[in-house]
Amino acid sequence: KRKDDFDPGQIPEGNGFQRLEFFLMDSVNMLERYPEFFRFLVEFNVLYARDGDPERVRQAFALGNDLLSPIIRDGIADGSIRADFEPDFLVAAIFNQMSALDARFALTGSQIGAEYGQPARELHQAILRIFLNGIQGPVTSPRERIRTIESPKKEQMRSG
């Protein structure tokens, strides 16, 4: 993966929550598009975890914070993201969640479906959706409400 593969300009217009939702959900696509890169990152992190350099992590975090913090601040200002979260703290939480999810799905993505009897992609999206539901501001109309991701089996049981 090259540094220029992700363009923040790809994030569509919308309220802060919608822009953050796009960013997080697109991370599932990135993991599918570049599985070798994510697997390398996970393996590298494991090998060097004991000798980690907090300053390097802070530098990497600063780049992500520069992208996400304004989106979160916009979401708090427009009411689409809960106001009881400090934006920099929420960015740190997002990056830690993404790191954990990326590790799990990069290393065992093909096995996850067999382990749980559910498609790995939908499980990954559902975990992100649960997180997003937790930070979403007050919903004022059904149209603004987030869709709930249901498993394909559940949909088949309803229709069958």
Side-chain angles (χ1 to χ4, degrees), residues 9-126:
Q10 295 173 344
I11 298 175
E13 293 296 317
N15 64 37
F17 180 85
Q18 291 165 335
R19 291 167 33 222
L20 182 62
E21 176 185 35
F22 175 86
F23 175 83
L24 290 175
M25 290 304 181
D26 194 50
S27 71
V28 178
N29 297 330
M30 295 293 285
L31 183 61
E32 287 180 343
R33 215 173 298 141
Y34 304 103
E36 304 85 17
F37 172 75
F38 283 94
R39 187 175 181 95
F40 168 79
L41 279 181
V42 171
E43 291 172 354
F44 181 85
N45 286 338
V46 169
L47 286 173
Y48 294 97
R50 289 186 210 113
D51 300 321
D53 180 0
E55 183 55 34
R56 286 184 58 201
V57 173
R58 277 193 294 279
Q59 289 171 358
F61 174 73
L63 294 172
N65 198 39
D66 289 348
L67 173 67
L68 292 183
S69 189
I71 292 172
I72 291 168
R73 289 181 199 287
D74 289 350
I76 291 170
D78 67 31
S80 63
I81 294 177
R82 289 176 30 192
D84 58 334
F85 288 109
E86 195 277 318
D88 292 341
F89 181 84
L90 191 52
V91 172
I94 288 168
F95 276 96
N96 276 280
Q97 176 192 13
M98 289 176 68
S99 178
L101 282 174
D102 289 348
R104 172 80 170 127
F105 284 87
L107 292 176
T108 60
S110 60
Q111 296 170 356
I112 290 173
E115 291 172 354
Y116 296 99
Q118 303 291 333
R121 179 182 179 80
E122 282 82 2
L123 287 171
H124 195 165
Q125 290 173 323

